[in-house]
Amino acid sequence: MSEFVLGVRLLLGSGRGNRVRFVLMVVGSAIGVCCLAVVLAIPGILAAQDARKAAREPDCSNGLGACISGQGTGLALTRVVPYGSDTFTRIFVAQGSKPIAPPPGLRALPSPGEVIVSPRLHREVRADPGLSKLLPGRETGLISARGLAHPDELYAYIGLRRDELKEGGHLTSFGQKRTGFPTVDSSTLDILRFTLAGIVLLPLAVFLSVCARLSAAARARRLAALRLLGLSRRGLQRVNAAETVVAAVLGAVVGLGGYWAVNQLVSRIGLPGFTWYPSDGALPYSAVLVCLVGCPVLAWFVSRYGAKKAADNPLAVRRSAEEKSPRLWGLLPLVPGLGIVIGYCVAGATGHAPRDTKLSSILMPVAVVLVGAGLVLTLPALSRALARKVAATTGSLSLGLAMRRNEVEPSGTLRVATGLVLLVYAASLTQGVLIELDQVSKNTAAAQAYNIELPGLSEEKQRAIGEVSGIRSHVVETTSWTDSDALETPPSVQAVIANCGQLRGMASRLKGCVEGRPARLIVPDDTYDEASRPGVRFPFRLVDDHGRRKTLTVQVPQQTVHYQDDAVTHTVSSGTVLIPPSLVPEGFRPDYGTLTLLSDSTPHVVRSVLEGIAAVDPTLEVETEGVDIAALRQISVIKTLLGVGMVLGLVIGVAAYLVAATDRAMERKAQVTALSLLGARRSTLRAVQVAQVVLPLAVGLLLAVVTGKAAESSYLVTGGGSIFWDGGGVPLLLASAVGAVVVAALGALPLIGRRIDPELIRRD
């Protein structure tokens, strides 16, 4: 303990410069811990949202076979529709004679004709009165925070009578072990963890190490003097650890306080596509322990390494002996990491993309970490080799001085350039993740198709839905009847019930259609249905609103109609039989099939159509073909979190550069003063400082762009998508690299002051 106290006393009494360095260490550690706390809080936020979702989900709302169907039980029906890029969830509830405990966030279940909505939905209904068509009834209350996943959720409970909720499943209670609609599913969460590890945690570990190594040269000389005075190796390590660990502990406390303030502020403002309650962002005790213990432990190990040279050879430190050439230890992680990356790139280029996603999910994160660590560890060796080569060939005084300094002290490059190099490397990985997420199935066509199942849809409702504003056309799709009890299943044929005008509204190209005449649809580049042979008869079962049934027998006609709808997500297979509505008995419709509607795909039109369908029957399930609203919502959340990760990576990279560059300038004051007294001009010294930082940084950034693009391509190869190579992202990466070089150059200019202080070299 006496050595630890000695280290603290040396800190407090070693001059203004060391106290400034100590403050830099504390500030740097605080920034790092705050960023680490943000990353550690994300899983807790998602878990808290999913827990509230699970607690409110109706039990047996889907009418599964395991549900209890007793007298007096209630009914529940869940309907989810898209609202822009958000999901709009409605829970229709019909109470029975047996009381049911309300879900979290509600004091009581709504009675028939009552609606309880979330606060955001309350505001949206005021701004968009058309939404009220999706909410039959009068608003009687708001859902509290306990019943919502996040503050901006669109959620509603709607009370109905039992006879109005024919499709509802038996409701016994609310609450499930896990939610069926997670905020981010497990596979997508793995992508998030992988990306945050690459763009935040890896640069963060390097940044904290840089902060722990501030004023390394000055401290090494002080430690060497103590070693020469007889201090033991262990005692020397404790003295060195005192300043580093104290700064890390203070930085951890300040960083946690900073995270608390950031969480309180940002959670109330919200991020685009992602909001949460402040309590969700509270760090668990394990995360607090990681921050309070992990940062000082890392500082302890870094300080032990920093004291090694002073303990082993104190005379060499005091006399500023020439450092040994950096070894190529960086190749140990870099070579296997690049081997994995290049292997996946070759597999993608030769058309042998890997199918084993489990193996890839392990190898890709390992490769990313190995390549990133290799980039960091090879920078000193690359800097020394480059400096030696340039210094031997250049005729410029400024460039020669800069390169000789880098040759003598290559580790300085590691501290200054690492943050920006890792930032560019991580930016390329993030581009790959965003490209993979954009390959999710979604409607990019000019039209939007909607599917509604025919069972339970009366003729009046079908007619009213077809007249909804915004609907361009609608058809009925069905399949011929087959006897399921037969020993051999007979063939069946697909059919479309529509007139030529309706079919023309669905198609991008239609040729040969004659009104009132059956025909076979021929779709270009589509496999023809062999069962649809001219002359073969197929029965179709029909039903009316009173439950009466008829059978319509249709003979496959000789006539053909050329049909193509490649501009729409909805497709009709080749061989489908076109049945004119005039052939269907009045008042009857197929007992099985789908009502397909088409509209423009602009968001306001889609919203208007959904509102119009809800006005006909709010309990109808409408499938928006080609739009996976749950996936799109998850992508919105992931993109926001990746944006947070990139901001954290930017903060870490810039902070690492500023802290390391400032510390390096303070360490070099004595050398700059000596050169000034020898007659070097200020412009020469500034040119030396810029070249000393920019040249090795440019090489490191070029290496980061190359390895980052290779890692990005290998990630896309393992992602299972159709895009492997992202040529469009190269200009952005190069622009980022050039921007980093410009920032580094501008940051190096003010570090050469106007005043010469000979006191700095008095002892030398």
Side-chain angles (χ1 to χ4, degrees):
M1 178 59 82
S2 59
E3 291 88 353
F4 190 83
V5 174
L6 174 61
V8 175
R9 294 185 65 183
L10 286 174
L11 166 65
L12 298 176
S14 55
R16 177 174 172 270
N18 280 326
R19 286 194 290 272
V20 171
R21 292 189 184 101
F22 178 77
V23 172
L24 281 177
M25 293 170 66
V26 173
V27 172
S29 299
I31 294 173
V33 169
C34 184
C35 294
L36 177 61
V38 171
V39 175
L40 294 177
I42 289 174
I45 293 174
L46 298 178
Q49 293 185 353
D50 288 346
R52 287 196 295 273
K53 286 183 177 182
R56 73 189 181 190
E57 286 192 10
D59 190 15
C60 304
S61 62
N62 294 324
L64 301 177
C67 295
I68 301 173
S69 178
Q71 291 293 330
T73 58
L75 298 175
L77 181 67
T78 302
R79 288 288 181 253
V80 181
V81 296
Y83 187 80
S85 60
D86 292 323
T87 56
F88 179 13
T89 305
R90 295 168 297 159
I91 306 295
F92 295 92
V93 178
Q95 300 186 59
S97 58
K98 294 181 179 179
I100 300 174
L106 269 66
R107 294 182 178 180
L109 288 174
S111 300
E114 295 181 346
V115 178
I116 303 177
V117 300
S118 63
R120 185 195 167 190
L121 184 55
H122 172 79
R123 297 191 298 269
E124 291 290 341
V125 171
R126 299 296 183 273
D128 181 10
L131 268 179
S132 59
K133 298 176 183 178
L134 296 166
L135 304 169
R138 57 185 179 85
E139 184 182 315
T140 59
L142 298 179
I143 306 171
S144 69
R146 291 180 57 244
L148 297 174
H150 54 86
D152 285 345
E153 190 172 25
L154 297 170
Y155 209 87
Y157 294 92
I158 303 170
L160 296 177
R161 298 190 308 273
R162 291 179 64 88
D163 60 339
E164 295 177 308
L165 203 55
K166 298 178 181 179
E167 296 184 23
H170 294 282
L171 175 65
T172 57
S173 63
F174 286 91
Q176 303 279 2
K177 291 183 178 180
R178 61 185 63 182
T179 177
F181 306 95
T183 305
V184 178
D185 61 35
S186 57
S187 60
T188 312
L189 191 58
D190 290 339
I191 296 175
L192 179 64
R193 292 193 183 102
F194 160 75
T195 311
L196 290 181
I199 66 177
V200 179
L201 296 184
L202 182 60
L204 181 59
V206 176
F207 174 51
L208 292 176
S209 300
V210 168
C211 292
R213 287 281 291 156
L214 291 181
S215 64
R219 281 194 286 167
R221 290 173 60 83
R222 189 167 66 236
L223 293 173
L226 293 175
R227 179 72 173 129
L228 292 172
L229 291 174
L231 193 63
S232 65
R233 288 174 177 271
R234 290 184 177 275
L236 196 69
Q237 291 173 350
R238 294 191 186 100
V239 170
N240 189 41
E243 181 178 1
T244 306
V245 172
V246 168
V249 171
L250 289 177
V253 173
V254 174
L256 289 175
Y259 167 74
W260 179 87
V262 168
N263 177 53
Q264 294 295 321
L265 176 64
V266 178
S267 62
R268 286 170 169 79
I269 298 175
L271 298 173
F274 186 60
T275 56
W276 68 96
Y277 292 105
S279 58
D280 295 344
L283 288 175
Y285 292 115
S286 58
V288 174
L289 191 64
V290 167
C291 294
L292 290 178
V293 176
C295 185
V297 168
L298 177 63
W300 167 263
F301 281 105
V302 172
S303 65
R304 284 175 63 90
Y305 174 78
K308 186 177 184 301
K309 185 177 179 181
D312 292 342
N313 197 349
L315 284 175
V317 174
R318 290 298 299 175
R319 293 173 180 174
S320 301
E322 184 178 353
E323 293 186 11
K324 294 182 180 180
S325 300
R327 300 179 181 179
L328 296 177
W329 291 108
L331 293 178
L332 288 179
L334 188 61
V335 170
L338 283 178
I340 297 173
V341 166
I342 293 173
Y344 277 128
C345 289
V346 172
T350 56
H352 297 86
R355 302 293 183 185
D356 189 353
T357 56
K358 291 184 178 179
L359 180 62
S360 300
S361 64
I362 297 174
L363 287 181
M364 271 311 303
V366 170
V368 167
V369 173
L370 289 177
V371 172
L375 277 177
V376 174
L377 296 177
T378 53
L379 278 179
L382 287 176
S383 175
R384 188 184 184 95
L386 176 68
R388 180 174 294 176
K389 183 70 174 178
V390 174
T393 57
T394 186
S396 169
L397 174 62
S398 302
L399 192 57
L401 285 174
M403 294 302 100
R404 289 304 181 190
R405 169 50 56 186
N406 281 349
E407 183 182 357
V408 172
E409 190 190 1
S411 61
T413 304
L414 176 67
R415 287 185 288 156
V416 176
T418 298
L420 298 177
V421 168
L422 285 179
L423 178 62
V424 173
Y425 173 69
S428 183
L429 288 175
T430 306
Q431 278 188 343
V433 174
L434 293 176
I435 290 171
E436 184 189 22
L437 292 176
D438 280 338
Q439 295 184 67
V440 173
S441 175
K442 58 183 179 181
N443 185 15
T444 57
Q448 174 64 56
Y450 313 82
N451 293 329
I452 303 175
E453 296 296 328
L454 287 179
L457 191 64
S458 66
E459 183 182 9
E460 181 182 357
K461 290 181 180 179
Q462 183 176 331
R463 186 183 302 109
I465 291 174
E467 296 172 356
V468 167
S469 175
I471 296 294
R472 284 170 24 185
S473 183
H474 66 279
V475 299
V476 173
E477 298 179 74
T478 186
T479 305
S480 63
W481 176 79
T482 57
D483 188 359
S484 59
D485 297 330
L487 295 178
E488 294 184 5
T489 304
S492 62
V493 69
Q494 301 290 325
V496 172
I497 302 176
N499 56 41
C500 290
Q502 292 172 328
L503 200 62
R504 189 171 291 107
M506 302 291 293
S508 60
R509 188 179 67 178
L510 189 68
K511 182 180 179 181
C513 186
V514 178
E515 200 68 63
R517 187 183 71 181
R520 289 175 292 130
L521 299 181
I522 304 298
V523 181
D525 302 323
D526 188 40
T527 303
Y528 188 84
D529 184 6
E530 295 298 332
S532 183
R533 298 190 303 273
V536 180
R537 293 176 174 271
F538 291 94
F540 290 85
R541 289 288 183 89
L542 306 177
V543 67
D544 67 0
D545 292 343
H546 304 289
R548 294 177 297 182
R549 295 184 177 275
K550 279 188 177 182
T551 300
L552 174 66
T553 302
V554 175
Q555 180 177 335
V556 179
Q558 290 283 348
Q559 293 80 8
T560 60
V561 171
H562 291 273
Y563 175 93
Q564 188 172 353
D565 64 352
D566 51 5
V568 189
T569 56
H570 168 72
T571 57
V572 173
S573 60
S574 190
T576 298
V577 177
L578 172 63
I579 302 176
S582 58
L583 295 184
V584 180
E586 186 176 355
F588 284 84
R589 62 187 180 280
D591 66 348
Y592 173 80
T594 304
L595 174 63
T596 301
L597 308 105
L598 196 71
S599 76
D600 292 338
S601 61
T602 54
H604 73 277
V605 172
V606 174
R607 187 180 306 170
S608 174
V609 169
L610 292 174
E611 291 172 353
I613 296 174
V616 177
D617 186 347
T619 65
L620 285 177
E621 183 173 10
V622 183
E623 178 186 351
T624 49
E625 191 170 308
V627 178
D628 188 347
I629 184 60
L632 293 179
R633 173 62 184 168
Q634 290 190 35
I635 288 175
S636 176
V637 172
I638 290 295
K639 285 184 175 180
T640 299
L641 295 179
L642 288 180
V644 172
M646 283 303 297
V647 170
L648 294 179
L650 179 63
V651 169
I652 292 170
V654 173
Y657 167 74
L658 292 177
V659 170
T662 304
D663 179 64
R664 182 178 172 85
M666 295 177 67
E667 280 189 345
R668 292 199 62 234
K669 275 187 176 181
Q671 300 160 3
V672 171
T673 300
L675 290 173
S676 299
L677 292 176
L678 289 174
R681 292 181 298 180
R682 190 180 301 111
S683 59
T684 301
L685 294 178
R686 286 181 174 172
V688 169
Q689 184 73 10
V690 171
Q692 190 176 338
V693 173
V694 165
L695 198 59
L697 176 61
V699 174
L701 290 175
L702 181 61
L703 188 61
V705 170
V706 174
T707 56
K709 291 304 296 181
E712 174 195 351
S713 298
S714 63
Y715 175 79
L716 291 174
V717 168
T718 61
S722 59
I723 298 177
F724 290 170
W725 321 110
D726 173 31
V730 175
L732 179 61
L733 279 181
L734 292 177
S736 301
V738 172
V741 171
V742 172
V743 169
L746 294 176
L749 289 175
L751 299 180
I752 302 299
R754 293 178 174 274
R755 189 172 64 90
I756 298 176
D757 186 5
E759 181 66 20
L760 292 171
I761 59 172
R762 179 178 62 83
R763 291 193 180 99
D764 293 335

